């Protein structure tokens, strides 16, 4: 049986009714963000596909498939010119919002549940880990589920932050770029403030 899902677009009105509903019968949408100027919506699917839907007609404007497994999260840059995807294929990828051109890839050894772009630095943060059903009690230890920091231009990992006792399900930078938050399957939301040296850090390549 085919699971049918709709992408529903709303405007801020009292009746809370969508002004447009886009049927998506092939592959379920798992995450979506607005594109620049609200002209289109960028949606990630369970098969790793990314579609760009017109916010006026609902038509597919562009379609790409850079991931091999489900896209878990999509987050935009502060100016909406780029977005980052997090996938079960153990990668996060950076794309141009308008052209959907693939820009960078950040690789890990575990599924990536969430990824975010710093609003002030050339950095991305990623969180993930194995699904709860795949994690045995013997393998669970403090620090196994780290938030991982990569340089956005060089695709190099330069830092990890420990703390969660389970997979990280969501990460987000504060709008001022001076801190970030992570939410884990352990039920905790952790807020981390960056040390002064973080802002002076330069990656040696």
């Amino acid at each position: 049986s085919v699971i049918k899902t709709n992408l529903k677009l709303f405007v801020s009105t009292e009746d809370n009714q969508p002004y447009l509903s886009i049927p998506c019968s092939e592959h379920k949408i798992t995450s979506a963000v607005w594109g620049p100027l609200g002209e289109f919506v960028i949606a990630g699917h369970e098969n790793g596909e990314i579609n760009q839907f017109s916010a006026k007609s609902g038509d597919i404007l562009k379609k790409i498939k850079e991931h091999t497994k489900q896209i878990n999260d999509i987050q935009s840059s502060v100016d909406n010119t780029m977005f980052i995807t997090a996938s079960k294929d153990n990668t996060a990828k950076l794309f141009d919002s308008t052209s959907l051109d693939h820009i960078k890839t950040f690789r890990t050894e575990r599924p990536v549940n969430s990824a975010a772009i710093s609003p002030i630095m050339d950095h991305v943060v990623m969180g993930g880990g194995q699904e709860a059903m795949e994690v045995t009690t013997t393998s669970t230890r403090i620090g196994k589920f780290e938030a991982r920091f990569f340089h956005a231009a060089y695709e190099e990992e330069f830092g990890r932050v420990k703390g969660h006792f389970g997979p990280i399900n969501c990460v987000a930078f504060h709008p001022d770029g001076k801190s970030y938050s992570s939410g884990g399957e352990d039920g905790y939301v952790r807020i981390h403030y960056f040390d002064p040296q973080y802002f002076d850090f330069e990656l040696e390549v």
Side-chain angles (χ1 to χ4, degrees):
S1 61
V2 177
I3 300 174
K4 293 188 177 181
T5 59
N6 289 342
L7 177 64
K8 296 184 179 182
L9 307 184
F10 293 81
V11 291
S12 183
T13 58
E14 292 182 3
D15 60 3
N16 266 348
Q17 293 300 310
Y19 76 86
L20 182 64
S21 183
I22 305 169
C24 305
S25 59
E26 289 187 18
H27 299 285
K28 185 172 68 174
I29 291 174
T30 51
S31 187
V33 293
W34 286 99
L37 305 176
E39 294 177 346
F40 51 80
V41 173
I42 300 161
H45 297 256
E46 63 181 352
N47 69 332
E49 200 170 79
I50 298 171
N51 285 334
Q52 193 184 81
F53 293 97
S54 166
K56 291 182 179 179
S57 66
D59 294 338
I60 295 177
L61 303 176
K62 291 184 178 70
K63 177 189 291 189
I64 61 169
K65 192 173 186 297
E66 291 287 341
H67 285 289
T68 58
K69 294 183 180 179
Q70 176 174 305
I71 294 172
N72 291 323
D73 186 30
I74 298 179
Q75 294 192 38
S76 300
S77 61
V78 66
D79 60 0
N80 267 7
T81 59
M82 298 183 295
F83 66 93
I84 192 167
T85 56
S87 173
K88 282 187 175 182
D89 66 7
N90 300 358
T91 68
K93 293 177 184 278
L94 198 64
F95 296 89
D96 181 277
S97 295
T98 302
S99 67
L100 295 191
D101 287 342
H102 174 220
I103 303 170
K104 299 289 180 182
T105 298
F106 312 98
R107 303 182 189 281
T108 71
E109 311 81 40
R110 298 187 183 96
V112 184
N113 294 334
S114 185
I117 306 168
S118 169
I120 62 170
M121 305 286 282
D122 287 331
H123 299 165
V124 300
V125 62
M126 297 157 50
Q130 295 167 286
E131 294 183 12
M133 67 184 73
E134 299 171 358
V135 179
T136 64
T137 54
T138 54
S139 67
T140 303
R141 59 180 175 84
I142 296 174
K144 180 176 182 181
F145 305 100
E146 303 116 330
R148 304 171 68 162
F149 286 81
F150 285 76
H151 194 284
Y154 302 122
E155 302 172 305
E156 292 286 337
E157 182 179 359
F158 65 86
R160 299 187 185 192
V161 178
K162 301 178 181 180
H164 284 286
F165 295 90
I168 295 173
N169 292 330
C170 187
V171 292
F173 279 99
H174 189 281
D176 66 11
K178 296 178 180 178
S179 63
Y180 84 97
S181 300
S182 57
E185 205 157 306
D186 55 9
Y188 288 94
V189 175
R190 302 177 67 90
I191 302 172
H192 303 263
Y193 293 90
F194 296 119
D195 295 328
Q197 55 263 37
Y198 166 83
F199 303 99
D200 300 325
F201 172 76
E202 290 187 9
L203 185 68
E204 294 182 7
V205 292

